[in-house]
Amino acid sequence: MKKSPIYTRTGDKGVTSLVDGSRLPKNSVRIDAYGTVDELNSIIGLLIAAQPLSDSDRDMLSDIQARLFDIGSYLAAGNYEITQRLMPDLEASMTAMERTIDLYDSELPSLRAFVLPQGAPSAAAAHVARAVARRAERRILDFNDLLIAHADDDGNSAPASIAPAILQYINRLSDYLFILSRHCNHLADISDICWTPAQKK
């Protein structure tokens, strides 16, 4: 019987291939960075399936998923030449997020306290996505620190650092997901659920 293309057995010993063909342990800092971006992408898929959510936000989230695939490819490139070739154009997507943030923020009441991550299903999913976006940002920063630390190594063909636009995009995405969570609760006619600190006895 012909083997399914789904499993290759090449990763059975805990290593995987980058785009340039080089191989790394699956728990390396680089793999953790783009693996967390993949996790974020999957959670955004759950958000897209949740209610309430406008068609325009579903369209934007689908575009964001495509851009996260771009970012994952960039992080998985390997050598400098391929990394440069796979640098994604994130400007239009980030501009769209910023415009939406400004619009939704103008329509919502001002925040005077931290909000709890709950409410409508779409709002709760947006909060989960926001938290994972922050973790993805931390993992990319860990990888960036590693690149910088080894930038002067002899024969190192990797880029010296992560392109600033990558970090900027992930940071803006978490901002968008936060305001989207509030917007989704607004669509569901649910008020912000604010944090009340425990009172000392």
Short mmCIF file of all heavy atoms in Angstrom, two decimals, residues 40-108:
data_model
loop_
_atom_site.label_atom_id
_atom_site.label_comp_id
_atom_site.label_asym_id
_atom_site.label_seq_id
_atom_site.Cartn_x
_atom_site.Cartn_y
_atom_site.Cartn_z
N LEU A 40 -1.57 30.81 16.82
CA LEU A 40 -2.38 32.03 16.75
C LEU A 40 -3.32 31.98 15.54
O LEU A 40 -4.51 32.32 15.63
CB LEU A 40 -1.47 33.25 16.68
CG LEU A 40 -2.11 34.60 16.38
CD1 LEU A 40 -3.16 34.95 17.44
CD2 LEU A 40 -1.03 35.68 16.30
N ASN A 41 -2.79 31.55 14.41
CA ASN A 41 -3.60 31.46 13.19
C ASN A 41 -4.78 30.51 13.38
O ASN A 41 -5.91 30.80 12.96
CB ASN A 41 -2.71 30.98 12.04
CG ASN A 41 -3.17 31.48 10.70
OD1 ASN A 41 -4.33 31.79 10.50
ND2 ASN A 41 -2.26 31.55 9.75
N SER A 42 -4.53 29.39 14.04
CA SER A 42 -5.59 28.41 14.27
C SER A 42 -6.67 28.97 15.19
O SER A 42 -7.87 28.74 14.98
CB SER A 42 -5.01 27.13 14.87
OG SER A 42 -4.08 26.54 13.98
N ILE A 43 -6.26 29.70 16.22
CA ILE A 43 -7.23 30.28 17.15
C ILE A 43 -8.05 31.37 16.46
O ILE A 43 -9.25 31.51 16.72
CB ILE A 43 -6.50 30.82 18.40
CG1 ILE A 43 -5.99 29.63 19.22
CG2 ILE A 43 -7.42 31.70 19.24
CD1 ILE A 43 -5.08 29.98 20.34
N ILE A 44 -7.43 32.11 15.55
CA ILE A 44 -8.20 33.09 14.78
C ILE A 44 -9.24 32.37 13.92
O ILE A 44 -10.35 32.89 13.71
CB ILE A 44 -7.26 33.97 13.93
CG1 ILE A 44 -6.50 34.94 14.87
CG2 ILE A 44 -8.04 34.76 12.87
CD1 ILE A 44 -5.47 35.79 14.18
N GLY A 45 -8.94 31.16 13.47
CA GLY A 45 -9.94 30.36 12.75
C GLY A 45 -11.15 30.08 13.62
O GLY A 45 -12.30 30.14 13.15
N LEU A 46 -10.92 29.78 14.90
CA LEU A 46 -12.05 29.59 15.83
C LEU A 46 -12.83 30.88 16.02
O LEU A 46 -14.06 30.88 16.10
CB LEU A 46 -11.53 29.09 17.18
CG LEU A 46 -11.04 27.64 17.24
CD1 LEU A 46 -10.46 27.35 18.63
CD2 LEU A 46 -12.16 26.67 16.92
N LEU A 47 -12.11 32.00 16.09
CA LEU A 47 -12.76 33.30 16.23
C LEU A 47 -13.67 33.58 15.03
O LEU A 47 -14.80 34.06 15.19
CB LEU A 47 -11.70 34.39 16.38
CG LEU A 47 -12.15 35.85 16.30
CD1 LEU A 47 -13.25 36.16 17.31
CD2 LEU A 47 -10.95 36.78 16.51
N ILE A 48 -13.20 33.27 13.83
CA ILE A 48 -13.99 33.49 12.62
C ILE A 48 -15.30 32.70 12.67
O ILE A 48 -16.33 33.15 12.15
CB ILE A 48 -13.17 33.13 11.37
CG1 ILE A 48 -12.05 34.16 11.17
CG2 ILE A 48 -14.04 33.04 10.12
CD1 ILE A 48 -11.04 33.79 10.09
N ALA A 49 -15.27 31.54 13.33
CA ALA A 49 -16.46 30.70 13.41
C ALA A 49 -17.42 31.12 14.52
O ALA A 49 -18.52 30.57 14.61
CB ALA A 49 -16.04 29.24 13.62
N ALA A 50 -17.02 32.09 15.36
CA ALA A 50 -17.82 32.46 16.53
C ALA A 50 -18.82 33.57 16.19
O ALA A 50 -18.69 34.26 15.17
CB ALA A 50 -16.91 32.90 17.67
N GLN A 51 -19.79 33.73 17.05
CA GLN A 51 -20.83 34.76 16.90
C GLN A 51 -20.86 35.64 18.14
O GLN A 51 -20.55 35.18 19.23
CB GLN A 51 -22.20 34.10 16.72
CG GLN A 51 -22.35 33.27 15.45
CD GLN A 51 -22.43 34.11 14.19
OE1 GLN A 51 -22.63 35.33 14.26
NE2 GLN A 51 -22.27 33.49 13.04
N PRO A 52 -21.28 36.90 18.01
CA PRO A 52 -21.53 37.60 16.75
C PRO A 52 -20.22 38.13 16.17
O PRO A 52 -19.29 38.44 16.90
CB PRO A 52 -22.45 38.75 17.18
CG PRO A 52 -22.02 39.06 18.58
CD PRO A 52 -21.61 37.74 19.19
N LEU A 53 -20.19 38.25 14.84
CA LEU A 53 -19.03 38.79 14.15
C LEU A 53 -19.49 39.30 12.80
O LEU A 53 -20.21 38.60 12.08
CB LEU A 53 -17.95 37.71 13.97
CG LEU A 53 -16.55 38.17 13.60
CD1 LEU A 53 -15.90 38.95 14.74
CD2 LEU A 53 -15.68 36.97 13.23
N SER A 54 -19.09 40.51 12.45
CA SER A 54 -19.54 41.10 11.19
C SER A 54 -18.78 40.47 10.01
O SER A 54 -17.68 39.93 10.16
CB SER A 54 -19.30 42.62 11.20
OG SER A 54 -17.91 42.90 11.16
N ASP A 55 -19.40 40.55 8.84
CA ASP A 55 -18.74 40.04 7.63
C ASP A 55 -17.43 40.77 7.37
O ASP A 55 -16.46 40.16 6.92
CB ASP A 55 -19.67 40.18 6.43
CG ASP A 55 -20.84 39.21 6.47
OD1 ASP A 55 -20.76 38.22 7.21
OD2 ASP A 55 -21.84 39.47 5.77
N SER A 56 -17.39 42.08 7.64
CA SER A 56 -16.16 42.83 7.40
C SER A 56 -15.04 42.37 8.32
O SER A 56 -13.88 42.30 7.90
CB SER A 56 -16.41 44.33 7.58
OG SER A 56 -16.83 44.62 8.90
N ASP A 57 -15.38 42.01 9.56
CA ASP A 57 -14.35 41.50 10.46
C ASP A 57 -13.91 40.10 10.06
O ASP A 57 -12.73 39.77 10.18
CB ASP A 57 -14.83 41.52 11.91
CG ASP A 57 -14.69 42.91 12.53
OD1 ASP A 57 -13.61 43.50 12.42
OD2 ASP A 57 -15.68 43.40 13.11
N ARG A 58 -14.84 39.27 9.57
CA ARG A 58 -14.43 37.95 9.08
C ARG A 58 -13.47 38.11 7.90
O ARG A 58 -12.48 37.38 7.80
CB ARG A 58 -15.66 37.15 8.66
CG ARG A 58 -16.41 36.55 9.82
CD ARG A 58 -17.36 35.43 9.38
NE ARG A 58 -17.97 34.84 10.57
CZ ARG A 58 -19.06 35.30 11.17
NH1 ARG A 58 -19.69 36.36 10.67
NH2 ARG A 58 -19.53 34.73 12.26
N ASP A 59 -13.76 39.05 7.01
CA ASP A 59 -12.87 39.29 5.87
C ASP A 59 -11.49 39.75 6.35
O ASP A 59 -10.45 39.29 5.84
CB ASP A 59 -13.46 40.33 4.93
CG ASP A 59 -14.68 39.83 4.17
OD1 ASP A 59 -14.87 38.59 4.12
OD2 ASP A 59 -15.44 40.66 3.64
N MET A 60 -11.47 40.65 7.33
CA MET A 60 -10.20 41.15 7.84
C MET A 60 -9.42 40.04 8.53
O MET A 60 -8.21 39.91 8.34
CB MET A 60 -10.42 42.31 8.80
CG MET A 60 -9.12 42.91 9.34
SD MET A 60 -9.37 44.42 10.28
CE MET A 60 -10.00 45.50 9.00
N LEU A 61 -10.12 39.22 9.31
CA LEU A 61 -9.45 38.13 10.01
C LEU A 61 -8.91 37.09 9.03
O LEU A 61 -7.84 36.52 9.25
CB LEU A 61 -10.41 37.48 11.01
CG LEU A 61 -10.73 38.33 12.25
CD1 LEU A 61 -11.94 37.76 12.98
CD2 LEU A 61 -9.52 38.42 13.17
N SER A 62 -9.61 36.86 7.92
CA SER A 62 -9.10 35.94 6.90
C SER A 62 -7.84 36.49 6.26
O SER A 62 -6.88 35.74 5.99
CB SER A 62 -10.17 35.69 5.83
OG SER A 62 -11.26 34.97 6.37
N ASP A 63 -7.81 37.80 6.02
CA ASP A 63 -6.59 38.43 5.49
C ASP A 63 -5.46 38.32 6.51
O ASP A 63 -4.31 38.03 6.13
CB ASP A 63 -6.86 39.90 5.16
CG ASP A 63 -5.60 40.62 4.72
OD1 ASP A 63 -5.13 40.37 3.59
OD2 ASP A 63 -5.06 41.44 5.51
N ILE A 64 -5.78 38.52 7.78
CA ILE A 64 -4.77 38.40 8.83
C ILE A 64 -4.21 36.98 8.86
O ILE A 64 -2.99 36.78 9.02
CB ILE A 64 -5.38 38.80 10.20
CG1 ILE A 64 -5.57 40.32 10.25
CG2 ILE A 64 -4.50 38.33 11.35
CD1 ILE A 64 -6.43 40.80 11.41
N GLN A 65 -5.07 35.98 8.70
CA GLN A 65 -4.57 34.60 8.65
C GLN A 65 -3.55 34.40 7.52
O GLN A 65 -2.52 33.75 7.71
CB GLN A 65 -5.74 33.63 8.47
CG GLN A 65 -6.57 33.41 9.72
CD GLN A 65 -7.55 32.28 9.55
OE1 GLN A 65 -8.35 32.27 8.60
NE2 GLN A 65 -7.53 31.32 10.44
N ALA A 66 -3.85 34.98 6.37
CA ALA A 66 -2.91 34.87 5.24
C ALA A 66 -1.59 35.56 5.56
O ALA A 66 -0.50 35.05 5.23
CB ALA A 66 -3.54 35.46 3.98
N ARG A 67 -1.67 36.72 6.21
CA ARG A 67 -0.45 37.44 6.57
C ARG A 67 0.34 36.68 7.63
O ARG A 67 1.58 36.73 7.65
CB ARG A 67 -0.78 38.85 7.07
CG ARG A 67 -1.54 39.74 6.08
CD ARG A 67 -0.74 40.11 4.83
NE ARG A 67 -0.55 39.03 3.88
CZ ARG A 67 -1.50 38.56 3.06
NH1 ARG A 67 -2.73 39.06 3.08
NH2 ARG A 67 -1.22 37.59 2.20
N LEU A 68 -0.34 35.99 8.54
CA LEU A 68 0.36 35.17 9.54
C LEU A 68 1.07 34.00 8.88
O LEU A 68 2.17 33.61 9.30
CB LEU A 68 -0.62 34.68 10.61
CG LEU A 68 -1.13 35.77 11.57
CD1 LEU A 68 -2.19 35.19 12.50
CD2 LEU A 68 0.01 36.38 12.39
N PHE A 69 0.49 33.44 7.81
CA PHE A 69 1.20 32.42 7.04
C PHE A 69 2.45 33.03 6.41
O PHE A 69 3.52 32.40 6.38
CB PHE A 69 0.30 31.83 5.95
CG PHE A 69 -0.33 30.52 6.34
CD1 PHE A 69 -1.67 30.43 6.64
CD2 PHE A 69 0.44 29.36 6.39
CE1 PHE A 69 -2.26 29.23 7.00
CE2 PHE A 69 -0.14 28.14 6.74
CZ PHE A 69 -1.49 28.08 7.05
N ASP A 70 2.34 34.26 5.91
CA ASP A 70 3.51 34.95 5.35
C ASP A 70 4.60 35.09 6.41
O ASP A 70 5.78 34.86 6.15
CB ASP A 70 3.13 36.35 4.86
CG ASP A 70 2.21 36.34 3.65
OD1 ASP A 70 2.14 35.30 2.96
OD2 ASP A 70 1.57 37.38 3.39
N ILE A 71 4.19 35.52 7.61
CA ILE A 71 5.15 35.72 8.70
C ILE A 71 5.78 34.39 9.12
O ILE A 71 6.99 34.30 9.35
CB ILE A 71 4.46 36.40 9.90
CG1 ILE A 71 4.14 37.86 9.54
CG2 ILE A 71 5.34 36.35 11.15
CD1 ILE A 71 3.26 38.57 10.55
N GLY A 72 4.97 33.33 9.18
CA GLY A 72 5.50 32.01 9.51
C GLY A 72 6.54 31.55 8.50
O GLY A 72 7.59 31.00 8.87
N SER A 73 6.28 31.78 7.22
CA SER A 73 7.24 31.42 6.17
C SER A 73 8.53 32.20 6.32
O SER A 73 9.63 31.66 6.16
CB SER A 73 6.63 31.67 4.79
OG SER A 73 5.50 30.85 4.58
N TYR A 74 8.40 33.49 6.62
CA TYR A 74 9.57 34.34 6.84
C TYR A 74 10.42 33.80 7.99
O TYR A 74 11.64 33.69 7.89
CB TYR A 74 9.11 35.77 7.13
CG TYR A 74 10.18 36.71 7.62
CD1 TYR A 74 10.96 37.45 6.72
CD2 TYR A 74 10.42 36.88 8.98
CE1 TYR A 74 11.93 38.32 7.18
CE2 TYR A 74 11.40 37.74 9.44
CZ TYR A 74 12.16 38.46 8.53
OH TYR A 74 13.13 39.33 8.99
N LEU A 75 9.77 33.46 9.10
CA LEU A 75 10.51 32.97 10.27
C LEU A 75 11.13 31.60 10.02
O LEU A 75 12.13 31.24 10.64
CB LEU A 75 9.57 32.91 11.47
CG LEU A 75 9.03 34.25 11.99
CD1 LEU A 75 7.97 34.03 13.06
CD2 LEU A 75 10.16 35.13 12.52
N ALA A 76 10.53 30.83 9.11
CA ALA A 76 11.01 29.48 8.82
C ALA A 76 11.99 29.44 7.65
O ALA A 76 12.41 28.35 7.24
CB ALA A 76 9.83 28.56 8.53
N ALA A 77 12.37 30.60 7.12
CA ALA A 77 13.15 30.64 5.88
C ALA A 77 14.51 29.96 6.01
O ALA A 77 14.90 29.16 5.17
CB ALA A 77 13.33 32.08 5.42
N GLY A 78 15.24 30.29 7.06
CA GLY A 78 16.58 29.73 7.22
C GLY A 78 17.64 30.74 6.90
O GLY A 78 18.00 31.57 7.74
N ASN A 79 18.16 30.72 5.68
CA ASN A 79 19.29 31.60 5.35
C ASN A 79 18.83 33.01 4.96
O ASN A 79 17.65 33.27 4.73
CB ASN A 79 20.17 30.99 4.26
CG ASN A 79 19.47 30.86 2.92
OD1 ASN A 79 18.84 31.80 2.45
ND2 ASN A 79 19.56 29.68 2.32
N TYR A 80 19.80 33.90 4.88
CA TYR A 80 19.53 35.32 4.66
C TYR A 80 18.83 35.56 3.33
O TYR A 80 17.85 36.32 3.26
CB TYR A 80 20.83 36.11 4.71
CG TYR A 80 20.66 37.59 4.44
CD1 TYR A 80 20.29 38.46 5.46
CD2 TYR A 80 20.88 38.12 3.17
CE1 TYR A 80 20.11 39.81 5.22
CE2 TYR A 80 20.70 39.47 2.92
CZ TYR A 80 20.33 40.31 3.94
OH TYR A 80 20.16 41.65 3.70
N GLU A 81 19.31 34.92 2.26
CA GLU A 81 18.75 35.16 0.93
C GLU A 81 17.27 34.81 0.86
O GLU A 81 16.45 35.59 0.37
CB GLU A 81 19.52 34.34 -0.11
CG GLU A 81 19.02 34.53 -1.54
CD GLU A 81 19.74 33.65 -2.54
OE1 GLU A 81 20.75 33.02 -2.17
OE2 GLU A 81 19.26 33.58 -3.68
N ILE A 82 16.90 33.64 1.39
CA ILE A 82 15.50 33.23 1.35
C ILE A 82 14.66 34.09 2.29
O ILE A 82 13.52 34.45 1.98
CB ILE A 82 15.37 31.74 1.71
CG1 ILE A 82 16.08 30.89 0.65
CG2 ILE A 82 13.90 31.33 1.81
CD1 ILE A 82 16.08 29.40 0.94
N THR A 83 15.23 34.46 3.44
CA THR A 83 14.51 35.33 4.38
C THR A 83 14.14 36.64 3.71
O THR A 83 13.01 37.13 3.84
CB THR A 83 15.37 35.60 5.63
OG1 THR A 83 15.67 34.36 6.28
CG2 THR A 83 14.63 36.51 6.61
N GLN A 84 15.08 37.24 2.98
CA GLN A 84 14.80 38.50 2.28
C GLN A 84 13.73 38.32 1.22
O GLN A 84 12.86 39.18 1.04
CB GLN A 84 16.09 39.04 1.65
CG GLN A 84 17.14 39.48 2.67
CD GLN A 84 16.62 40.55 3.61
OE1 GLN A 84 16.36 40.31 4.79
NE2 GLN A 84 16.45 41.76 3.10
N ARG A 85 13.77 37.20 0.54
CA ARG A 85 12.80 36.94 -0.53
C ARG A 85 11.40 36.72 0.05
O ARG A 85 10.40 37.05 -0.61
CB ARG A 85 13.25 35.72 -1.33
CG ARG A 85 12.49 35.53 -2.62
CD ARG A 85 13.19 34.57 -3.57
NE ARG A 85 13.10 33.20 -3.13
CZ ARG A 85 14.14 32.42 -2.88
NH1 ARG A 85 15.37 32.88 -3.01
NH2 ARG A 85 13.97 31.17 -2.50
N LEU A 86 11.31 36.20 1.26
CA LEU A 86 10.02 35.89 1.86
C LEU A 86 9.52 37.00 2.79
O LEU A 86 8.49 36.81 3.46
CB LEU A 86 10.10 34.58 2.65
CG LEU A 86 10.30 33.31 1.81
CD1 LEU A 86 10.40 32.09 2.72
CD2 LEU A 86 9.17 33.13 0.81
N MET A 87 10.19 38.15 2.81
CA MET A 87 9.73 39.25 3.65
C MET A 87 8.35 39.69 3.18
O MET A 87 8.17 40.13 2.04
CB MET A 87 10.72 40.41 3.58
CG MET A 87 10.28 41.65 4.35
SD MET A 87 10.11 41.33 6.10
CE MET A 87 8.87 42.55 6.55
N PRO A 88 7.32 39.58 4.03
CA PRO A 88 5.96 39.91 3.58
C PRO A 88 5.68 41.41 3.55
O PRO A 88 6.29 42.17 4.30
CB PRO A 88 5.08 39.22 4.62
CG PRO A 88 5.92 39.17 5.86
CD PRO A 88 7.34 39.03 5.39
N ASP A 89 4.76 41.80 2.69
CA ASP A 89 4.28 43.18 2.66
C ASP A 89 3.07 43.25 3.58
O ASP A 89 1.99 42.78 3.25
CB ASP A 89 3.90 43.57 1.23
CG ASP A 89 3.45 45.03 1.13
OD1 ASP A 89 3.39 45.72 2.17
OD2 ASP A 89 3.17 45.48 0.01
N LEU A 90 3.26 43.86 4.75
CA LEU A 90 2.23 43.89 5.79
C LEU A 90 1.55 45.24 5.92
O LEU A 90 0.64 45.40 6.73
CB LEU A 90 2.87 43.51 7.14
CG LEU A 90 3.58 42.17 7.19
CD1 LEU A 90 4.34 42.02 8.50
CD2 LEU A 90 2.61 41.01 6.99
N GLU A 91 1.98 46.21 5.12
CA GLU A 91 1.53 47.59 5.32
C GLU A 91 0.02 47.75 5.15
O GLU A 91 -0.65 48.36 6.00
CB GLU A 91 2.26 48.52 4.35
CG GLU A 91 1.94 49.99 4.58
CD GLU A 91 2.76 50.91 3.69
OE1 GLU A 91 3.64 50.41 2.96
OE2 GLU A 91 2.51 52.12 3.73
N ALA A 92 -0.55 47.21 4.08
CA ALA A 92 -1.98 47.39 3.84
C ALA A 92 -2.81 46.73 4.93
O ALA A 92 -3.81 47.30 5.39
CB ALA A 92 -2.35 46.82 2.47
N SER A 93 -2.43 45.55 5.35
CA SER A 93 -3.16 44.84 6.39
C SER A 93 -3.09 45.60 7.72
O SER A 93 -4.10 45.71 8.43
CB SER A 93 -2.60 43.43 6.56
OG SER A 93 -3.34 42.70 7.52
N MET A 94 -1.92 46.13 8.04
CA MET A 94 -1.78 46.86 9.29
C MET A 94 -2.56 48.17 9.25
O MET A 94 -3.18 48.57 10.24
CB MET A 94 -0.31 47.12 9.62
CG MET A 94 -0.11 47.67 11.03
SD MET A 94 1.53 47.37 11.67
CE MET A 94 2.52 48.29 10.49
N THR A 95 -2.56 48.85 8.12
CA THR A 95 -3.34 50.08 7.97
C THR A 95 -4.83 49.80 8.17
O THR A 95 -5.54 50.56 8.83
CB THR A 95 -3.09 50.71 6.59
OG1 THR A 95 -1.72 51.06 6.48
CG2 THR A 95 -3.95 51.96 6.39
N ALA A 96 -5.31 48.68 7.61
CA ALA A 96 -6.72 48.31 7.77
C ALA A 96 -7.04 48.05 9.24
O ALA A 96 -8.11 48.45 9.74
CB ALA A 96 -7.03 47.08 6.93
N MET A 97 -6.12 47.38 9.95
CA MET A 97 -6.34 47.14 11.37
C MET A 97 -6.41 48.45 12.15
O MET A 97 -7.27 48.65 13.00
CB MET A 97 -5.24 46.25 11.95
CG MET A 97 -5.41 44.78 11.65
SD MET A 97 -4.33 43.74 12.65
CE MET A 97 -2.72 44.10 11.95
N GLU A 98 -5.50 49.37 11.85
CA GLU A 98 -5.45 50.64 12.57
C GLU A 98 -6.72 51.46 12.33
O GLU A 98 -7.26 52.08 13.26
CB GLU A 98 -4.21 51.43 12.17
CG GLU A 98 -2.93 50.80 12.71
CD GLU A 98 -1.67 51.52 12.24
OE1 GLU A 98 -1.77 52.32 11.26
OE2 GLU A 98 -0.60 51.27 12.79
N ARG A 99 -7.21 51.46 11.11
CA ARG A 99 -8.45 52.18 10.81
C ARG A 99 -9.63 51.58 11.57
O ARG A 99 -10.48 52.30 12.09
CB ARG A 99 -8.72 52.14 9.30
CG ARG A 99 -7.81 53.05 8.48
CD ARG A 99 -8.07 52.87 7.00
NE ARG A 99 -7.24 53.77 6.20
CZ ARG A 99 -7.02 53.62 4.90
NH1 ARG A 99 -7.61 52.61 4.25
NH2 ARG A 99 -6.26 54.46 4.25
N THR A 100 -9.66 50.25 11.65
CA THR A 100 -10.74 49.59 12.37
C THR A 100 -10.64 49.85 13.86
O THR A 100 -11.66 50.07 14.53
CB THR A 100 -10.72 48.07 12.08
OG1 THR A 100 -10.81 47.87 10.66
CG2 THR A 100 -11.87 47.36 12.76
N ILE A 101 -9.43 49.83 14.40
CA ILE A 101 -9.23 50.14 15.82
C ILE A 101 -9.77 51.53 16.13
O ILE A 101 -10.51 51.74 17.09
CB ILE A 101 -7.74 50.04 16.19
CG1 ILE A 101 -7.27 48.58 16.17
CG2 ILE A 101 -7.49 50.64 17.59
CD1 ILE A 101 -5.76 48.41 16.27
N ASP A 102 -9.40 52.50 15.30
CA ASP A 102 -9.86 53.88 15.51
C ASP A 102 -11.37 53.98 15.44
O ASP A 102 -12.01 54.67 16.25
CB ASP A 102 -9.22 54.82 14.49
CG ASP A 102 -7.72 54.98 14.69
OD1 ASP A 102 -7.23 54.67 15.80
OD2 ASP A 102 -7.04 55.41 13.74
N LEU A 103 -11.98 53.29 14.46
CA LEU A 103 -13.43 53.33 14.29
C LEU A 103 -14.14 52.72 15.49
O LEU A 103 -15.05 53.34 16.08
CB LEU A 103 -13.83 52.60 13.01
CG LEU A 103 -15.34 52.42 12.78
CD1 LEU A 103 -16.02 53.79 12.62
CD2 LEU A 103 -15.60 51.54 11.56
N TYR A 104 -13.75 51.50 15.87
CA TYR A 104 -14.42 50.82 16.97
C TYR A 104 -14.21 51.56 18.29
O TYR A 104 -15.12 51.64 19.11
CB TYR A 104 -13.93 49.38 17.09
CG TYR A 104 -14.41 48.47 15.97
CD1 TYR A 104 -13.93 47.17 15.85
CD2 TYR A 104 -15.35 48.91 15.03
CE1 TYR A 104 -14.36 46.33 14.83
CE2 TYR A 104 -15.78 48.08 14.02
CZ TYR A 104 -15.28 46.79 13.91
OH TYR A 104 -15.71 45.98 12.89
N ASP A 105 -13.01 52.09 18.49
CA ASP A 105 -12.72 52.81 19.72
C ASP A 105 -13.62 54.04 19.85
O ASP A 105 -14.06 54.38 20.95
CB ASP A 105 -11.25 53.20 19.77
CG ASP A 105 -10.82 53.69 21.14
OD1 ASP A 105 -11.14 53.02 22.14
OD2 ASP A 105 -10.17 54.74 21.23
N SER A 106 -13.91 54.69 18.71
CA SER A 106 -14.76 55.89 18.74
C SER A 106 -16.21 55.54 19.05
O SER A 106 -16.98 56.40 19.50
CB SER A 106 -14.68 56.63 17.40
OG SER A 106 -15.33 55.90 16.37
N GLU A 107 -16.60 54.29 18.81
CA GLU A 107 -17.99 53.86 19.02
C GLU A 107 -18.24 53.26 20.40
O GLU A 107 -19.39 53.02 20.77
CB GLU A 107 -18.37 52.84 17.95
CG GLU A 107 -18.35 53.40 16.53
CD GLU A 107 -18.56 52.33 15.48
OE1 GLU A 107 -18.46 51.12 15.79
OE2 GLU A 107 -18.85 52.70 14.32
N LEU A 108 -17.16 52.97 21.14
CA LEU A 108 -17.28 52.28 22.42
C LEU A 108 -17.07 53.25 23.57
O LEU A 108 -16.37 54.26 23.44
CB LEU A 108 -16.24 51.15 22.50
CG LEU A 108 -16.45 49.99 21.53
CD1 LEU A 108 -15.21 49.13 21.46
CD2 LEU A 108 -17.65 49.15 21.95
#
